[in-house]
């Protein structure tokens, strides 16, 4: 599972940073987290095919997070897309996308499905369970936690041999969850398999104040992507506008026990993101904080 930070600015773009868009690429298909203006060009600059995007999750309806949708939908049409595209977002997303589709000369030649996600709603995208969490911004907003299903535990060949199971096809049967019989005695997979192992997981905050519910929902994620609009020292301004500072984002990641934190939605007013990143690292008490730059990418690995 790879994550591409296609647009890492907040509010307005800068020469270096495009508007918010993060791509989660898994098994050849892509989920976009927000879709600010310029997202389709960033996709074209990345190794991810624009046509592999099947789902877009919108954290909220501020322009910096949604203005990339009309252009992307149109380009997919010009590229003769046939697969449906599904856009999920907070209440009102159906109306928003309806309005956007009215900009065109007729609907695109493929289906654009839209899903108004209820607060605390959950749905599945190709084996990835998505949990929506109401967050604290100036308009209705959602954070998203994406979790793969658990995987079977590790097979213990020593335990199998000790129970008299010969190496070979019977090992495979046990590993695929089936019982075997040895001399009239049954051996079941639980006898020779370890505890189920967790899948990979990502939590995406969208725009928000530091939010307890988001930290709770994101418990133990492999990667947290959190907004860090303001530099440390601008807590008051962050609170007034429903945003977080670098160190506040780090505190949320610490509360969630996230293995890694990437900061995004970085305002052009942050003069030195690396210095802010260091401060956030100190707040977190660990080494795994990165202030994303456009086109950075990260491989999310299995936790064990
Ligand atoms: Zn924003
Ligand atoms: Zn916003």
């Amino acid at each position: 599972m790879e994550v591409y930070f296609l647009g890492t600015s907040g509010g307005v773009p800068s020469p270096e940073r495009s508007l918010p868009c993060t791509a989660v690429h898994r098994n050849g298909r892509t989920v976009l987290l927000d879709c600010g203006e310029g997202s389709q060009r960033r996709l074209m600059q990345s190794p991810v095919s624009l046509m592999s995007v099947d789902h877009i999750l919108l954290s909220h309806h501020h322009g910096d997070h949604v203005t990339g949708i009309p252009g992307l939908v149109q380009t997919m049409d010009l590229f003769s897309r046939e697969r449906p595209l599904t856009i999920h977002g907070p209440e009102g997303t159906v109306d928003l996308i309806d309005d956007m589709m009215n900009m065109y000369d007729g609907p695109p030649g493929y289906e654009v499905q839209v899903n108004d996600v209820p607060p605390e709603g959950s749905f599945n995208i190709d084996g990835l369970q998505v949990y929506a969490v109401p967050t604290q911004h100036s308009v209705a907003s959602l954070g998203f936690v994406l979790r793969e299903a658990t995987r079977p535990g590790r097979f213990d060949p020593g335990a199998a041999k000790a129970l008299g199971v010969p190496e070979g096809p019977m090992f495979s049967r046990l590993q695929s969850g089936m019982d075997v019989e040895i001399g009239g005695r049954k051996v079941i997979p639980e006898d020779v398999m370890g505890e189920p192992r967790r899948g990979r997981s990502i939590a995406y905050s969208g725009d928000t104040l530091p939010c307890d519910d988001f930290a709770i929902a994101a418990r133990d994620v492999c990667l947290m992507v959190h907004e860090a609009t303001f530099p440390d020292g601008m807590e008051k301004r962050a609170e007034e506008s429903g945003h977080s500072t670098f160190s506040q984002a780090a505190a949320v990641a610490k509360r969630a026990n996230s293995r890694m934190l990437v900061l995004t939605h970085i305002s052009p007013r942050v003069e030195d993101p690396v210095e802010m990143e260091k401060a956030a690292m100190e707040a977190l008490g660990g080494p795994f904080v990165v202030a994303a730059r456009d086109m950075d990418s990260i491989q999310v690995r299995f936790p064990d």
Side-chain angles (χ1 to χ4, degrees):
M1 189 193 286
E2 296 87 36
V3 179
Y4 295 87
F5 299 92
L6 301 176
T8 62
S9 188
V12 295
S14 70
E16 296 78 27
R17 293 180 189 275
S18 194
L19 288 176
C21 185
T22 300
V24 179
H25 189 68
R26 177 177 169 271
N27 300 337
R29 309 306 305 172
T30 303
V31 177
L32 292 187
L33 304 170
D34 285 322
C35 187
E37 179 198 338
S39 296
Q40 61 169 328
R41 286 195 69 241
R42 285 299 198 211
L43 272 167
M44 288 169 180
Q45 291 163 344
S46 81
V48 177
S49 159
L50 177 147
M51 294 297 262
S52 73
V53 175
D54 289 339
H55 294 267
I56 303 174
L57 307 183
L58 299 178
S59 62
H60 63 300
H61 294 168
H62 278 158
D64 53 328
H65 296 252
V66 302
T67 41
I69 293 172
L72 180 63
V73 166
Q74 171 166 287
T75 300
M76 285 176 167
D77 198 23
L78 293 172
F79 286 177
S80 305
R81 185 183 176 94
E82 290 178 357
R83 295 169 73 99
L85 171 72
T86 308
I87 301 171
H88 314 258
E91 197 185 342
T93 300
V94 170
D95 292 342
L96 175 80
I97 303 301
D98 259 5
D99 289 345
M100 286 182 176
M101 294 302 119
N102 285 331
M103 296 164 64
Y104 302 115
D105 178 21
Y110 59 95
E111 193 183 354
V112 178
Q113 302 167 337
V114 190
N115 176 20
D116 274 4
V117 181
E120 295 168 27
S122 179
F123 51 96
N124 196 280
I125 294 177
D126 302 331
L128 207 52
Q129 195 64 30
V130 180
Y131 302 90
V133 190
T135 49
Q136 295 165 263
H137 194 39
S138 54
V139 294
S141 59
L142 298 172
F144 295 103
V145 182
L146 287 63
R147 292 186 190 273
E148 289 181 327
T150 53
R151 296 169 294 147
R154 267 186 226 286
F155 178 65
D156 182 347
K161 281 182 193 159
L163 290 168
V165 182
E167 216 168 314
M170 284 195 179
F171 271 31
S172 307
R173 276 181 70 87
L174 285 164
Q175 286 178 66
S176 55
M178 288 183 278
D179 301 345
V180 298
E181 234 180 76
I182 303 291
R185 194 168 41 84
K186 198 190 266 185
V187 177
I188 60 171
E190 287 74 12
D191 294 336
V192 295
M193 304 290 283
E195 289 292 307
R197 291 171 294 166
R198 284 183 298 146
R200 294 166 294 191
S201 51
I202 297 170
Y204 174 66
S205 72
D207 288 8
T208 183
L209 290 164
C211 176
D212 279 340
D213 287 347
F214 177 69
I216 291 164
R219 186 78 200 156
D220 295 332
V221 286
C222 300
L223 169 67
M224 179 177 286
V225 180
H226 201 288
E227 75 121 292
T229 307
F230 290 103
D232 290 2
M234 290 190 71
E235 288 74 16
K236 190 164 183 295
R237 180 82 183 88
E239 185 166 3
E240 285 164 0
S241 54
H243 288 293
S244 303
T245 65
F246 278 56
S247 289
Q248 285 174 335
V252 173
K254 185 171 188 175
R255 216 171 304 152
N257 194 37
S258 167
R259 217 171 51 183
M260 180 165 189
L261 171 65
V262 175
L263 302 171
T264 188
H265 201 273
I266 296 164
S267 161
R269 81 182 68 209
V270 178
E271 284 171 17
D272 187 351
V274 175
E275 191 187 305
M276 286 292 126
E277 174 186 291
K278 279 189 203 145
M281 241 183 254
E282 275 167 28
L284 190 62
F288 302 113
V289 182
V290 175
R293 293 161 305 180
D294 278 24
M295 308 310 291
D296 279 351
S297 65
I298 283 181
Q299 179 110 29
V300 180
R301 297 185 193 284
F302 286 105
D304 46 23

